[in-house]
Amino acid sequence: MKDIIQRLFLHKPLRHDEFVTLLDSNSEELRTELADKACSVRSSVFGKDIYIRGLIEFTNYCKNNCYYCGIRAGNSNAVRYRLEMNDILSCCENGHSLGFRTFVLQGGEDPYYTDDVMVEIVSAISKKYPDCAITLSIGEKSRESYKRLFDAGADRYLLREETSDEEHYKRLHPDNMSFNNRMECLRNLKEIGYQVGCGFMVGSPYQTHDNLASDLCFIQEFRPHMVGIGPYITHADTPFADMNNGTLEDTLLLISILRLMDPELLLPATTSLGTIHPLGREMGIKAGANVVMPNLSPVGVRKQYMLYDNKICTGEEAAECVGCMDRRMEAIGYKVVTSRGDSPRL
Ligand code: 5AD
Ligand code: FES
């Protein structure tokens, strides 16, 4: 164990079985040891800076039926909405005046937004806000589509693999979804030149430490610029309604491991982490995360982008997530900065 931790502290690659050993040994003592080192490693690259991204959830229509997700096509209780280009541009305008220099356009896989429509939206944002980075999180597309969006001005792309184990992938997704295609998408995005974010849910149904170790091995080899992880949280209108949530403790340990594996990684303290514990995002930062992504979506639609039950930042009180995030970060000794926050590895 000592030897594994030693090599992790030196950012040396670990083997699959070594990751399993680490995960099996999760304890408060281990979490504290890794978090301390993760924070000092992060400080040496990023200081006390926390990057902020404005998340615009622009459609909750989705053609997919992932078993874990609240906006799956099969959930007939979901009230659907789409934002038009002008609504999206208003969100950006609001965000820009609040200091955001990254906009994350996230949505379900919604055929309404054809490549032409998305190119138009991305071009408009890029033209109006040349000082901002545009991140897309709109699922699986062909290499050609990804390239068109990149050429239109998109800089970054978030596509979680969800799990790096094909068998596990099949238990989370219906037969018409393909693990190999998802991995192919990630490779294409990277080759095209995007800053790429992958990631997975912690404690998703049927997940084992063996599966999580496969995720860490995949990330070690793929070297993404960003990794988004958060606990799985059940949604009552899905086939997984009776499954258990992922834990805070597993998520925090994994955040520290990821930071130690790659000191330059962009690593968000996610909304789902803030949902399972009121101070989850703060704990994520203290474990080694360095990004927060407050919601910039119009307050009127936020409750409809319910990926899981009890998602935070969806009420009227959340109109000012930005100020809230500033205060939260300052309270734990960090500083939200308004730069684009590109990967140091560019
Ligand atoms: N709990 C936690 N995270 C979820 N996501 C989707 N459904 C859930 C859930 N029930 C995550 C997926 C997806 C991202 C946008 O949200 O990892 O990639
Ligand atoms: Fe959204 Fe605090 S960050 S209400």
Side-chain angles (χ1 to χ4, degrees):
M1 187 68 180
K2 264 212 153 62
D3 168 59
I4 299 176
I5 295 177
Q6 218 45 51
R7 274 181 297 127
L8 187 62
F9 282 7
L10 295 170
H11 325 302
K12 299 259 195 272
L14 296 186
R15 292 190 317 265
H16 187 276
D17 63 293
E18 294 174 324
F19 283 127
V20 173
T21 302
L22 269 178
L23 295 165
D24 285 346
S25 315
N26 194 352
S27 65
E28 190 168 352
E29 197 188 342
L30 180 66
R31 286 195 300 280
T32 308
E33 184 181 3
L34 298 200
D36 284 352
K37 186 71 176 178
C39 282
S40 76
V41 159
R42 181 200 45 209
S43 276
S44 65
V45 183
F46 298 99
K48 288 283 177 188
D49 290 358
I50 301 296
Y51 295 141
I52 193 157
R53 324 293 196 196
L55 182 62
I56 304 171
E57 298 156 334
F58 69 95
T59 172
N60 73 347
Y61 282 85
C62 190
K63 66 178 169 64
N64 292 332
N65 238 331
C66 308
Y67 300 138
Y68 45 84
C69 180
I71 64 167
R72 62 202 301 273
N75 179 10
S76 53
N77 289 335
V79 180
R80 306 286 170 171
Y81 73 93
R82 291 188 174 107
L83 301 186
E84 298 293 338
M85 176 150 96
N86 284 338
D87 305 322
I88 297 174
L89 285 171
S90 305
C91 291
C92 294
E93 192 177 334
N94 174 35
H96 196 265
S97 68
L98 291 165
F100 285 93
R101 292 300 176 266
T102 294
F103 302 120
V104 182
L105 267 52
Q106 183 173 94
E109 291 196 13
D110 180 355
Y112 172 89
Y113 298 88
T114 58
D115 288 353
D116 286 345
V117 172
M118 281 316 298
V119 163
E120 198 189 343
I121 294 171
V122 169
S123 308
I125 300 175
S126 166
K127 191 162 159 236
K128 201 157 170 218
Y129 302 104
D131 57 340
C132 293
I134 302 174
T135 304
L136 296 177
S137 177
I138 51 177
E140 296 178 26
K141 296 192 174 290
S142 68
R143 190 187 173 105
E144 294 66 42
S145 301
Y146 285 150
K147 178 78 170 79
R148 279 192 67 194
L149 293 164
F150 184 76
D151 291 339
D155 306 277
R156 311 182 186 141
Y157 206 101
L158 309 179
L159 181 73
R160 292 186 178 179
E161 70 279 11
E162 313 297 357
T163 173
S164 301
D165 181 294
E166 186 164 10
E167 288 309 307
H168 185 220
Y169 188 91
K170 286 189 186 144
R171 303 191 78 171
L172 300 180
H173 303 93
D175 283 346
N176 66 346
M177 290 183 69
S178 144
F179 173 74
N180 288 328
N181 190 56
R182 202 152 185 100
M183 291 301 189
E184 180 68 21
C185 285
L186 282 169
R187 284 189 290 274
N188 284 337
L189 288 163
K190 201 149 181 243
E191 279 170 21
I192 289 168
Y194 282 97
Q195 294 176 56
V196 179
C198 63
F200 53 90
M201 291 175 289
V202 179
S204 59
Y206 313 112
Q207 185 183 65
T208 60
H209 284 175
D210 195 73
N211 297 149
L212 284 170
S214 299
D215 281 307
L216 295 173
C217 287
F218 166 68
I219 287 164
Q220 188 165 260
E221 186 228 297
F222 183 62
R223 299 260 298 162
H225 304 86
M226 303 169 260
V227 175
I229 67 164
Y232 163 75
I233 302 174
T234 202
H235 187 295
D237 297 322
T238 65
F240 288 161
D242 295 328
M243 299 290 187
N244 294 324
N245 291 345
T247 69
L248 178 69
E249 291 76 13
D250 283 343
T251 311
L252 295 175
L253 179 69
L254 280 157
I255 287 176
S256 298
I257 294 175
L258 287 164
R259 169 62 58 211
L260 291 164
M261 285 166 59
D262 182 354
E264 298 182 326
L265 193 64
L266 296 164
L267 192 51
T270 55
T271 304
S272 62
L273 193 53
T275 299
I276 50 162
H277 190 288
L279 294 176
R281 288 168 298 181
E282 286 85 339
M283 293 179 194
I285 298 293
K286 289 183 189 166
N290 69 328
V291 175
V292 287
M293 300 172 65
N295 204 320
L296 267 188
S297 312
V299 175
V301 300
R302 284 191 198 179
K303 276 203 191 312
Q304 283 148 257
Y305 203 81
M306 268 304 160
L307 303 178
Y308 42 82
D309 290 336
N310 306 313
K311 187 171 165 237
I312 54 166
C313 297
T314 59
E316 291 299 322
E317 84 290 348
E320 273 308 319
C321 281
V322 198
C324 175
M325 237 31 265
D326 280 346
R327 287 191 296 278
R328 282 171 178 266
M329 292 301 115
E330 214 176 291
I332 55 168
Y334 291 83
K335 190 168 171 292
V336 167
V337 295
T338 57
S339 65
R340 279 170 50 116
D342 285 297
S343 164
R345 224 177 4 254
L346 279 191

